Amino acid sequence: MSATAQNVVQLQPSTRPSESLPRQDLLDSRGFCRIERLRYFANCYALHPQGDWEQACRVIAVDPRASLKSHAFALLGALDAYALRPVLFYQQRAKALSEGELWIGRLLTAVSQSDHANVQALLSFRLSTVAHRRVAFLATGMLTALTFEQNMLDP
């Protein structure tokens, strides 16, 4: 991975008003919880060596029990490699959303609602064309894993 491909996981405090978007009216509480989980995984992704995300996609495709962490790391790797502009993640428990977090939240919401037109529009807005199918696949798998995790936590 080249030094110029480092587009993801630049953790920023949410104090810069020009890039901070207020939480209200942009995402529902479920969407904000998804972003909080992604912020956690973005921290982990920044600290651990990143493997080959394309290989991770192949493993996830054949293993129906792939973990949420596997999906999140592969998704972050795809964003790292193919984002047209940086995707910034704020620190956990920040009250505001970055533009990239808002985009990911809207993408996950569109995927959860099976709104394929919105999914394609959002992918085209932020990613190069070669990554569209894989990122949509990873987002779907991540939502499934998140739902499974939430069902395990909330009996």
Side-chain angles (χ1 to χ4, degrees):
M1 189 174 305
S2 70
T4 59
Q6 298 296 326
N7 289 333
V8 152
V9 191
Q10 300 171 16
L11 300 174
Q12 303 287 328
S14 63
T15 57
R16 294 168 36 191
S18 62
E19 293 183 11
S20 296
L21 300 170
R23 177 182 167 191
Q24 298 84 357
D25 301 327
L26 298 176
L27 287 178
D28 60 1
S29 62
R30 182 177 289 183
F32 197 75
C33 288
R34 292 174 185 153
I35 295 299
E36 277 296 307
R37 291 296 287 154
L38 266 175
R39 285 175 175 170
Y40 168 77
F41 287 118
N43 271 326
C44 294
Y45 182 82
L47 295 173
H48 292 60
Q50 292 82 38
D52 181 11
W53 78 271
E54 292 181 3
Q55 176 65 24
C57 283
R58 289 189 284 275
V59 170
I60 289 169
V62 297
D63 184 9
R65 298 168 305 172
S67 69
L68 176 59
K69 180 179 176 182
S70 299
H71 283 92
F73 273 36
L75 180 64
L76 291 168
L79 295 176
D80 194 22
Y82 292 106
L84 298 176
R85 58 181 178 269
V87 178
L88 300 177
F89 286 92
Y90 289 153
Q91 296 174 358
Q92 284 185 279
R93 293 185 290 284
K95 301 261 187 260
L97 295 170
S98 71
E99 181 185 339
E101 290 172 334
L102 180 60
W103 172 79
I104 290 174
R106 287 180 173 162
L107 176 66
L108 293 175
T109 300
V111 168
S112 71
Q113 296 172 348
S114 298
D115 186 355
H116 301 295
N118 259 347
V119 169
Q120 286 305 313
L122 288 163
L123 291 173
S124 297
F125 177 68
R126 200 73 153 167
L127 299 173
S128 61
T129 309
V130 295
H132 289 189
R133 285 181 47 197
R134 288 188 182 137
V135 169
F137 164 73
L138 290 170
T140 303
M142 192 174 138
L143 282 172
T144 303
L146 267 171
T147 303
F148 178 75
E149 180 183 85
Q150 264 187 333
N151 289 340
M152 294 299 289
L153 294 176
D154 298 332

PDB file of all heavy atoms in Angstrom, residues 79-113:
ATOM      1  N   LEU A  79     -11.949   1.419   1.753  1.00  0.00           N
ATOM      2  CA  LEU A  79     -12.001   2.888   1.748  1.00  0.00           C
ATOM      3  C   LEU A  79     -10.604   3.473   1.686  1.00  0.00           C
ATOM      4  O   LEU A  79     -10.365   4.483   1.022  1.00  0.00           O
ATOM      5  CB  LEU A  79     -12.739   3.393   2.991  1.00  0.00           C
ATOM      6  CG  LEU A  79     -14.221   3.039   3.087  1.00  0.00           C
ATOM      7  CD1 LEU A  79     -14.785   3.534   4.411  1.00  0.00           C
ATOM      8  CD2 LEU A  79     -14.992   3.607   1.926  1.00  0.00           C
ATOM      9  N   ASP A  80      -9.680   2.832   2.377  1.00  0.00           N
ATOM     10  CA  ASP A  80      -8.292   3.281   2.367  1.00  0.00           C
ATOM     11  C   ASP A  80      -7.701   3.223   0.961  1.00  0.00           C
ATOM     12  O   ASP A  80      -6.980   4.120   0.535  1.00  0.00           O
ATOM     13  CB  ASP A  80      -7.489   2.405   3.321  1.00  0.00           C
ATOM     14  CG  ASP A  80      -6.134   2.974   3.662  1.00  0.00           C
ATOM     15  OD1 ASP A  80      -5.949   4.197   3.530  1.00  0.00           O
ATOM     16  OD2 ASP A  80      -5.261   2.197   4.073  1.00  0.00           O
ATOM     17  N   ALA A  81      -8.033   2.177   0.247  1.00  0.00           N
ATOM     18  CA  ALA A  81      -7.452   1.973  -1.084  1.00  0.00           C
ATOM     19  C   ALA A  81      -8.171   2.739  -2.189  1.00  0.00           C
ATOM     20  O   ALA A  81      -7.535   3.177  -3.151  1.00  0.00           O
ATOM     21  CB  ALA A  81      -7.455   0.480  -1.411  1.00  0.00           C
ATOM     22  N   TYR A  82      -9.490   2.911  -2.094  1.00  0.00           N
ATOM     23  CA  TYR A  82     -10.249   3.406  -3.232  1.00  0.00           C
ATOM     24  C   TYR A  82     -11.071   4.672  -3.006  1.00  0.00           C
ATOM     25  O   TYR A  82     -11.796   5.084  -3.905  1.00  0.00           O
ATOM     26  CB  TYR A  82     -11.188   2.305  -3.747  1.00  0.00           C
ATOM     27  CG  TYR A  82     -10.433   1.163  -4.361  1.00  0.00           C
ATOM     28  CD1 TYR A  82     -10.309  -0.053  -3.702  1.00  0.00           C
ATOM     29  CD2 TYR A  82      -9.808   1.311  -5.592  1.00  0.00           C
ATOM     30  CE1 TYR A  82      -9.596  -1.093  -4.265  1.00  0.00           C
ATOM     31  CE2 TYR A  82      -9.095   0.277  -6.163  1.00  0.00           C
ATOM     32  CZ  TYR A  82      -8.994  -0.921  -5.489  1.00  0.00           C
ATOM     33  OH  TYR A  82      -8.279  -1.951  -6.040  1.00  0.00           O
ATOM     34  N   ALA A  83     -10.954   5.294  -1.847  1.00  0.00           N
ATOM     35  CA  ALA A  83     -11.705   6.539  -1.622  1.00  0.00           C
ATOM     36  C   ALA A  83     -11.146   7.642  -2.517  1.00  0.00           C
ATOM     37  O   ALA A  83      -9.933   7.774  -2.666  1.00  0.00           O
ATOM     38  CB  ALA A  83     -11.621   6.947  -0.158  1.00  0.00           C
ATOM     39  N   LEU A  84     -12.042   8.409  -3.109  1.00  0.00           N
ATOM     40  CA  LEU A  84     -11.619   9.510  -3.970  1.00  0.00           C
ATOM     41  C   LEU A  84     -11.110  10.706  -3.163  1.00  0.00           C
ATOM     42  O   LEU A  84     -10.366  11.526  -3.673  1.00  0.00           O
ATOM     43  CB  LEU A  84     -12.782   9.942  -4.871  1.00  0.00           C
ATOM     44  CG  LEU A  84     -13.295   8.865  -5.830  1.00  0.00           C
ATOM     45  CD1 LEU A  84     -14.502   9.366  -6.602  1.00  0.00           C
ATOM     46  CD2 LEU A  84     -12.192   8.428  -6.784  1.00  0.00           C
ATOM     47  N   ARG A  85     -11.551  10.791  -1.919  1.00  0.00           N
ATOM     48  CA  ARG A  85     -11.015  11.797  -0.993  1.00  0.00           C
ATOM     49  C   ARG A  85     -11.043  11.202   0.415  1.00  0.00           C
ATOM     50  O   ARG A  85     -11.760  10.237   0.666  1.00  0.00           O
ATOM     51  CB  ARG A  85     -11.787  13.098  -1.075  1.00  0.00           C
ATOM     52  CG  ARG A  85     -13.233  13.036  -0.809  1.00  0.00           C
ATOM     53  CD  ARG A  85     -13.836  14.449  -0.975  1.00  0.00           C
ATOM     54  NE  ARG A  85     -15.247  14.392  -0.759  1.00  0.00           N
ATOM     55  CZ  ARG A  85     -16.146  14.194  -1.705  1.00  0.00           C
ATOM     56  NH1 ARG A  85     -15.755  14.059  -2.962  1.00  0.00           N
ATOM     57  NH2 ARG A  85     -17.412  14.141  -1.425  1.00  0.00           N
ATOM     58  N   PRO A  86     -10.274  11.747   1.324  1.00  0.00           N
ATOM     59  CA  PRO A  86     -10.125  11.123   2.648  1.00  0.00           C
ATOM     60  C   PRO A  86     -11.450  10.971   3.397  1.00  0.00           C
ATOM     61  O   PRO A  86     -12.324  11.825   3.323  1.00  0.00           O
ATOM     62  CB  PRO A  86      -9.211  12.087   3.405  1.00  0.00           C
ATOM     63  CG  PRO A  86      -8.496  12.855   2.355  1.00  0.00           C
ATOM     64  CD  PRO A  86      -9.424  12.937   1.184  1.00  0.00           C
ATOM     65  N   VAL A  87     -11.548   9.862   4.099  1.00  0.00           N
ATOM     66  CA  VAL A  87     -12.684   9.599   4.977  1.00  0.00           C
ATOM     67  C   VAL A  87     -12.162   9.768   6.399  1.00  0.00           C
ATOM     68  O   VAL A  87     -11.363   8.966   6.864  1.00  0.00           O
ATOM     69  CB  VAL A  87     -13.244   8.177   4.774  1.00  0.00           C
ATOM     70  CG1 VAL A  87     -14.391   7.908   5.729  1.00  0.00           C
ATOM     71  CG2 VAL A  87     -13.689   7.985   3.339  1.00  0.00           C
ATOM     72  N   LEU A  88     -12.597  10.825   7.059  1.00  0.00           N
ATOM     73  CA  LEU A  88     -12.122  11.113   8.405  1.00  0.00           C
ATOM     74  C   LEU A  88     -13.067  10.531   9.442  1.00  0.00           C
ATOM     75  O   LEU A  88     -14.284  10.625   9.291  1.00  0.00           O
ATOM     76  CB  LEU A  88     -12.022  12.623   8.620  1.00  0.00           C
ATOM     77  CG  LEU A  88     -11.080  13.384   7.699  1.00  0.00           C
ATOM     78  CD1 LEU A  88     -11.152  14.868   7.982  1.00  0.00           C
ATOM     79  CD2 LEU A  88      -9.668  12.889   7.852  1.00  0.00           C
ATOM     80  N   PHE A  89     -12.506   9.962  10.473  1.00  0.00           N
ATOM     81  CA  PHE A  89     -13.282   9.468  11.603  1.00  0.00           C
ATOM     82  C   PHE A  89     -12.914  10.288  12.824  1.00  0.00           C
ATOM     83  O   PHE A  89     -11.736  10.459  13.128  1.00  0.00           O
ATOM     84  CB  PHE A  89     -12.976   7.989  11.879  1.00  0.00           C
ATOM     85  CG  PHE A  89     -13.579   7.068  10.878  1.00  0.00           C
ATOM     86  CD1 PHE A  89     -12.870   6.678   9.758  1.00  0.00           C
ATOM     87  CD2 PHE A  89     -14.852   6.579  11.058  1.00  0.00           C
ATOM     88  CE1 PHE A  89     -13.428   5.831   8.825  1.00  0.00           C
ATOM     89  CE2 PHE A  89     -15.415   5.727  10.143  1.00  0.00           C
ATOM     90  CZ  PHE A  89     -14.706   5.358   9.022  1.00  0.00           C
ATOM     91  N   TYR A  90     -13.915  10.778  13.516  1.00  0.00           N
ATOM     92  CA  TYR A  90     -13.680  11.471  14.770  1.00  0.00           C
ATOM     93  C   TYR A  90     -13.466  10.446  15.871  1.00  0.00           C
ATOM     94  O   TYR A  90     -13.756   9.265  15.707  1.00  0.00           O
ATOM     95  CB  TYR A  90     -14.852  12.382  15.130  1.00  0.00           C
ATOM     96  CG  TYR A  90     -14.971  13.607  14.261  1.00  0.00           C
ATOM     97  CD1 TYR A  90     -16.203  14.204  14.070  1.00  0.00           C
ATOM     98  CD2 TYR A  90     -13.878  14.180  13.644  1.00  0.00           C
ATOM     99  CE1 TYR A  90     -16.341  15.332  13.287  1.00  0.00           C
ATOM    100  CE2 TYR A  90     -13.999  15.301  12.854  1.00  0.00           C
ATOM    101  CZ  TYR A  90     -15.228  15.880  12.681  1.00  0.00           C
ATOM    102  OH  TYR A  90     -15.352  16.996  11.912  1.00  0.00           O
ATOM    103  N   GLN A  91     -12.988  10.928  16.998  1.00  0.00           N
ATOM    104  CA  GLN A  91     -12.795  10.051  18.139  1.00  0.00           C
ATOM    105  C   GLN A  91     -14.153   9.576  18.648  1.00  0.00           C
ATOM    106  O   GLN A  91     -15.168  10.222  18.431  1.00  0.00           O
ATOM    107  CB  GLN A  91     -12.042  10.780  19.238  1.00  0.00           C
ATOM    108  CG  GLN A  91     -10.640  11.162  18.812  1.00  0.00           C
ATOM    109  CD  GLN A  91      -9.933  12.026  19.843  1.00  0.00           C
ATOM    110  OE1 GLN A  91     -10.494  12.373  20.859  1.00  0.00           O
ATOM    111  NE2 GLN A  91      -8.698  12.374  19.550  1.00  0.00           N
ATOM    112  N   GLN A  92     -14.124   8.436  19.330  1.00  0.00           N
ATOM    113  CA  GLN A  92     -15.377   7.888  19.853  1.00  0.00           C
ATOM    114  C   GLN A  92     -16.044   8.867  20.803  1.00  0.00           C
ATOM    115  O   GLN A  92     -15.390   9.647  21.473  1.00  0.00           O
ATOM    116  CB  GLN A  92     -15.104   6.580  20.583  1.00  0.00           C
ATOM    117  CG  GLN A  92     -14.851   5.427  19.640  1.00  0.00           C
ATOM    118  CD  GLN A  92     -14.704   4.143  20.404  1.00  0.00           C
ATOM    119  OE1 GLN A  92     -13.648   3.858  20.924  1.00  0.00           O
ATOM    120  NE2 GLN A  92     -15.774   3.390  20.459  1.00  0.00           N
ATOM    121  N   ARG A  93     -17.348   8.805  20.819  1.00  0.00           N
ATOM    122  CA  ARG A  93     -18.222   9.630  21.649  1.00  0.00           C
ATOM    123  C   ARG A  93     -18.207  11.115  21.268  1.00  0.00           C
ATOM    124  O   ARG A  93     -18.675  11.947  22.029  1.00  0.00           O
ATOM    125  CB  ARG A  93     -17.920   9.452  23.137  1.00  0.00           C
ATOM    126  CG  ARG A  93     -18.271   8.070  23.628  1.00  0.00           C
ATOM    127  CD  ARG A  93     -18.092   7.908  25.105  1.00  0.00           C
ATOM    128  NE  ARG A  93     -16.718   7.916  25.561  1.00  0.00           N
ATOM    129  CZ  ARG A  93     -15.864   6.919  25.444  1.00  0.00           C
ATOM    130  NH1 ARG A  93     -16.241   5.810  24.872  1.00  0.00           N
ATOM    131  NH2 ARG A  93     -14.646   7.012  25.907  1.00  0.00           N
ATOM    132  N   ALA A  94     -17.677  11.445  20.105  1.00  0.00           N
ATOM    133  CA  ALA A  94     -17.769  12.823  19.625  1.00  0.00           C
ATOM    134  C   ALA A  94     -19.226  13.102  19.274  1.00  0.00           C
ATOM    135  O   ALA A  94     -19.938  12.236  18.768  1.00  0.00           O
ATOM    136  CB  ALA A  94     -16.886  13.034  18.404  1.00  0.00           C
ATOM    137  N   LYS A  95     -19.676  14.297  19.550  1.00  0.00           N
ATOM    138  CA  LYS A  95     -21.081  14.642  19.311  1.00  0.00           C
ATOM    139  C   LYS A  95     -21.365  14.969  17.850  1.00  0.00           C
ATOM    140  O   LYS A  95     -22.493  14.903  17.403  1.00  0.00           O
ATOM    141  CB  LYS A  95     -21.462  15.837  20.176  1.00  0.00           C
ATOM    142  CG  LYS A  95     -21.267  15.586  21.655  1.00  0.00           C
ATOM    143  CD  LYS A  95     -22.558  15.222  22.307  1.00  0.00           C
ATOM    144  CE  LYS A  95     -22.408  15.131  23.793  1.00  0.00           C
ATOM    145  NZ  LYS A  95     -22.267  13.777  24.268  1.00  0.00           N
ATOM    146  N   ALA A  96     -20.343  15.345  17.113  1.00  0.00           N
ATOM    147  CA  ALA A  96     -20.517  15.738  15.716  1.00  0.00           C
ATOM    148  C   ALA A  96     -20.090  14.607  14.789  1.00  0.00           C
ATOM    149  O   ALA A  96     -19.431  13.657  15.201  1.00  0.00           O
ATOM    150  CB  ALA A  96     -19.699  16.986  15.431  1.00  0.00           C
ATOM    151  N   LEU A  97     -20.483  14.720  13.535  1.00  0.00           N
ATOM    152  CA  LEU A  97     -20.114  13.757  12.504  1.00  0.00           C
ATOM    153  C   LEU A  97     -19.245  14.447  11.468  1.00  0.00           C
ATOM    154  O   LEU A  97     -19.524  15.578  11.068  1.00  0.00           O
ATOM    155  CB  LEU A  97     -21.362  13.226  11.808  1.00  0.00           C
ATOM    156  CG  LEU A  97     -22.337  12.411  12.632  1.00  0.00           C
ATOM    157  CD1 LEU A  97     -23.623  12.195  11.851  1.00  0.00           C
ATOM    158  CD2 LEU A  97     -21.717  11.089  13.010  1.00  0.00           C
ATOM    159  N   SER A  98     -18.221  13.749  11.007  1.00  0.00           N
ATOM    160  CA  SER A  98     -17.454  14.271   9.884  1.00  0.00           C
ATOM    161  C   SER A  98     -18.244  14.011   8.608  1.00  0.00           C
ATOM    162  O   SER A  98     -19.209  13.230   8.595  1.00  0.00           O
ATOM    163  CB  SER A  98     -16.087  13.597   9.811  1.00  0.00           C
ATOM    164  OG  SER A  98     -16.221  12.254   9.403  1.00  0.00           O
ATOM    165  N   GLU A  99     -17.837  14.631   7.541  1.00  0.00           N
ATOM    166  CA  GLU A  99     -18.517  14.414   6.257  1.00  0.00           C
ATOM    167  C   GLU A  99     -18.413  12.949   5.834  1.00  0.00           C
ATOM    168  O   GLU A  99     -19.371  12.364   5.331  1.00  0.00           O
ATOM    169  CB  GLU A  99     -17.902  15.314   5.190  1.00  0.00           C
ATOM    170  CG  GLU A  99     -18.542  15.184   3.835  1.00  0.00           C
ATOM    171  CD  GLU A  99     -17.825  16.003   2.775  1.00  0.00           C
ATOM    172  OE1 GLU A  99     -17.109  16.949   3.117  1.00  0.00           O
ATOM    173  OE2 GLU A  99     -18.000  15.662   1.592  1.00  0.00           O
ATOM    174  N   GLY A 100     -17.245  12.341   6.055  1.00  0.00           N
ATOM    175  CA  GLY A 100     -17.057  10.933   5.715  1.00  0.00           C
ATOM    176  C   GLY A 100     -17.916  10.007   6.552  1.00  0.00           C
ATOM    177  O   GLY A 100     -18.476   9.034   6.047  1.00  0.00           O
ATOM    178  N   GLU A 101     -18.040  10.304   7.846  1.00  0.00           N
ATOM    179  CA  GLU A 101     -18.893   9.494   8.715  1.00  0.00           C
ATOM    180  C   GLU A 101     -20.354   9.609   8.307  1.00  0.00           C
ATOM    181  O   GLU A 101     -21.085   8.611   8.311  1.00  0.00           O
ATOM    182  CB  GLU A 101     -18.730   9.935  10.169  1.00  0.00           C
ATOM    183  CG  GLU A 101     -17.394   9.580  10.771  1.00  0.00           C
ATOM    184  CD  GLU A 101     -17.188  10.179  12.138  1.00  0.00           C
ATOM    185  OE1 GLU A 101     -17.799  11.230  12.444  1.00  0.00           O
ATOM    186  OE2 GLU A 101     -16.411   9.609  12.909  1.00  0.00           O
ATOM    187  N   LEU A 102     -20.763  10.794   7.948  1.00  0.00           N
ATOM    188  CA  LEU A 102     -22.134  10.990   7.489  1.00  0.00           C
ATOM    189  C   LEU A 102     -22.378  10.182   6.208  1.00  0.00           C
ATOM    190  O   LEU A 102     -23.416   9.532   6.055  1.00  0.00           O
ATOM    191  CB  LEU A 102     -22.415  12.466   7.248  1.00  0.00           C
ATOM    192  CG  LEU A 102     -23.817  12.809   6.763  1.00  0.00           C
ATOM    193  CD1 LEU A 102     -24.859  12.368   7.781  1.00  0.00           C
ATOM    194  CD2 LEU A 102     -23.929  14.292   6.507  1.00  0.00           C
ATOM    195  N   TRP A 103     -21.410  10.186   5.294  1.00  0.00           N
ATOM    196  CA  TRP A 103     -21.530   9.411   4.061  1.00  0.00           C
ATOM    197  C   TRP A 103     -21.661   7.918   4.365  1.00  0.00           C
ATOM    198  O   TRP A 103     -22.530   7.239   3.820  1.00  0.00           O
ATOM    199  CB  TRP A 103     -20.317   9.678   3.165  1.00  0.00           C
ATOM    200  CG  TRP A 103     -20.276   8.789   1.976  1.00  0.00           C
ATOM    201  CD1 TRP A 103     -21.004   8.919   0.829  1.00  0.00           C
ATOM    202  CD2 TRP A 103     -19.499   7.600   1.826  1.00  0.00           C
ATOM    203  NE1 TRP A 103     -20.714   7.878  -0.036  1.00  0.00           N
ATOM    204  CE2 TRP A 103     -19.794   7.063   0.557  1.00  0.00           C
ATOM    205  CE3 TRP A 103     -18.584   6.946   2.640  1.00  0.00           C
ATOM    206  CZ2 TRP A 103     -19.200   5.901   0.088  1.00  0.00           C
ATOM    207  CZ3 TRP A 103     -17.998   5.782   2.171  1.00  0.00           C
ATOM    208  CH2 TRP A 103     -18.311   5.276   0.907  1.00  0.00           C
ATOM    209  N   ILE A 104     -20.811   7.405   5.249  1.00  0.00           N
ATOM    210  CA  ILE A 104     -20.875   5.990   5.602  1.00  0.00           C
ATOM    211  C   ILE A 104     -22.207   5.668   6.286  1.00  0.00           C
ATOM    212  O   ILE A 104     -22.826   4.640   6.007  1.00  0.00           O
ATOM    213  CB  ILE A 104     -19.686   5.587   6.500  1.00  0.00           C
ATOM    214  CG1 ILE A 104     -18.404   5.619   5.683  1.00  0.00           C
ATOM    215  CG2 ILE A 104     -19.896   4.205   7.095  1.00  0.00           C
ATOM    216  CD1 ILE A 104     -17.156   5.387   6.487  1.00  0.00           C
ATOM    217  N   GLY A 105     -22.661   6.549   7.149  1.00  0.00           N
ATOM    218  CA  GLY A 105     -23.948   6.339   7.807  1.00  0.00           C
ATOM    219  C   GLY A 105     -25.089   6.274   6.816  1.00  0.00           C
ATOM    220  O   GLY A 105     -25.976   5.413   6.907  1.00  0.00           O
ATOM    221  N   ARG A 106     -25.072   7.171   5.847  1.00  0.00           N
ATOM    222  CA  ARG A 106     -26.117   7.150   4.811  1.00  0.00           C
ATOM    223  C   ARG A 106     -26.010   5.905   3.935  1.00  0.00           C
ATOM    224  O   ARG A 106     -27.028   5.328   3.534  1.00  0.00           O
ATOM    225  CB  ARG A 106     -26.038   8.413   3.963  1.00  0.00           C
ATOM    226  CG  ARG A 106     -26.525   9.631   4.711  1.00  0.00           C
ATOM    227  CD  ARG A 106     -26.436  10.876   3.874  1.00  0.00           C
ATOM    228  NE  ARG A 106     -27.056  11.992   4.571  1.00  0.00           N
ATOM    229  CZ  ARG A 106     -26.831  13.247   4.261  1.00  0.00           C
ATOM    230  NH1 ARG A 106     -26.021  13.569   3.281  1.00  0.00           N
ATOM    231  NH2 ARG A 106     -27.427  14.202   4.941  1.00  0.00           N
ATOM    232  N   LEU A 107     -24.778   5.487   3.642  1.00  0.00           N
ATOM    233  CA  LEU A 107     -24.584   4.265   2.860  1.00  0.00           C
ATOM    234  C   LEU A 107     -25.139   3.057   3.602  1.00  0.00           C
ATOM    235  O   LEU A 107     -25.880   2.246   3.022  1.00  0.00           O
ATOM    236  CB  LEU A 107     -23.095   4.059   2.560  1.00  0.00           C
ATOM    237  CG  LEU A 107     -22.730   2.777   1.825  1.00  0.00           C
ATOM    238  CD1 LEU A 107     -23.297   2.788   0.412  1.00  0.00           C
ATOM    239  CD2 LEU A 107     -21.229   2.583   1.804  1.00  0.00           C
ATOM    240  N   LEU A 108     -24.824   2.925   4.880  1.00  0.00           N
ATOM    241  CA  LEU A 108     -25.321   1.790   5.660  1.00  0.00           C
ATOM    242  C   LEU A 108     -26.841   1.820   5.791  1.00  0.00           C
ATOM    243  O   LEU A 108     -27.495   0.777   5.752  1.00  0.00           O
ATOM    244  CB  LEU A 108     -24.653   1.760   7.037  1.00  0.00           C
ATOM    245  CG  LEU A 108     -23.151   1.454   7.028  1.00  0.00           C
ATOM    246  CD1 LEU A 108     -22.578   1.578   8.425  1.00  0.00           C
ATOM    247  CD2 LEU A 108     -22.862   0.097   6.427  1.00  0.00           C
ATOM    248  N   THR A 109     -27.405   3.005   5.926  1.00  0.00           N
ATOM    249  CA  THR A 109     -28.866   3.129   5.988  1.00  0.00           C
ATOM    250  C   THR A 109     -29.495   2.711   4.664  1.00  0.00           C
ATOM    251  O   THR A 109     -30.488   1.984   4.637  1.00  0.00           O
ATOM    252  CB  THR A 109     -29.264   4.570   6.346  1.00  0.00           C
ATOM    253  OG1 THR A 109     -28.714   4.890   7.625  1.00  0.00           O
ATOM    254  CG2 THR A 109     -30.774   4.727   6.392  1.00  0.00           C
ATOM    255  N   ALA A 110     -28.925   3.143   3.552  1.00  0.00           N
ATOM    256  CA  ALA A 110     -29.450   2.774   2.235  1.00  0.00           C
ATOM    257  C   ALA A 110     -29.340   1.264   2.008  1.00  0.00           C
ATOM    258  O   ALA A 110     -30.263   0.641   1.474  1.00  0.00           O
ATOM    259  CB  ALA A 110     -28.722   3.535   1.137  1.00  0.00           C
ATOM    260  N   VAL A 111     -28.230   0.677   2.436  1.00  0.00           N
ATOM    261  CA  VAL A 111     -28.065  -0.772   2.296  1.00  0.00           C
ATOM    262  C   VAL A 111     -29.091  -1.502   3.149  1.00  0.00           C
ATOM    263  O   VAL A 111     -29.710  -2.472   2.698  1.00  0.00           O
ATOM    264  CB  VAL A 111     -26.623  -1.195   2.673  1.00  0.00           C
ATOM    265  CG1 VAL A 111     -26.514  -2.700   2.827  1.00  0.00           C
ATOM    266  CG2 VAL A 111     -25.637  -0.707   1.621  1.00  0.00           C
ATOM    267  N   SER A 112     -29.316  -1.028   4.375  1.00  0.00           N
ATOM    268  CA  SER A 112     -30.271  -1.701   5.266  1.00  0.00           C
ATOM    269  C   SER A 112     -31.702  -1.602   4.736  1.00  0.00           C
ATOM    270  O   SER A 112     -32.525  -2.474   5.002  1.00  0.00           O
ATOM    271  CB  SER A 112     -30.192  -1.136   6.681  1.00  0.00           C
ATOM    272  OG  SER A 112     -30.718   0.169   6.732  1.00  0.00           O
ATOM    273  N   GLN A 113     -32.012  -0.557   3.979  1.00  0.00           N
ATOM    274  CA  GLN A 113     -33.344  -0.379   3.417  1.00  0.00           C
ATOM    275  C   GLN A 113     -33.465  -0.952   2.006  1.00  0.00           C
ATOM    276  O   GLN A 113     -34.486  -0.782   1.358  1.00  0.00           O
ATOM    277  CB  GLN A 113     -33.707   1.110   3.388  1.00  0.00           C
ATOM    278  CG  GLN A 113     -33.808   1.719   4.764  1.00  0.00           C
ATOM    279  CD  GLN A 113     -33.967   3.230   4.724  1.00  0.00           C
ATOM    280  OE1 GLN A 113     -33.791   3.865   3.680  1.00  0.00           O
ATOM    281  NE2 GLN A 113     -34.279   3.800   5.865  1.00  0.00           N
TER     282      GLN A 113
END
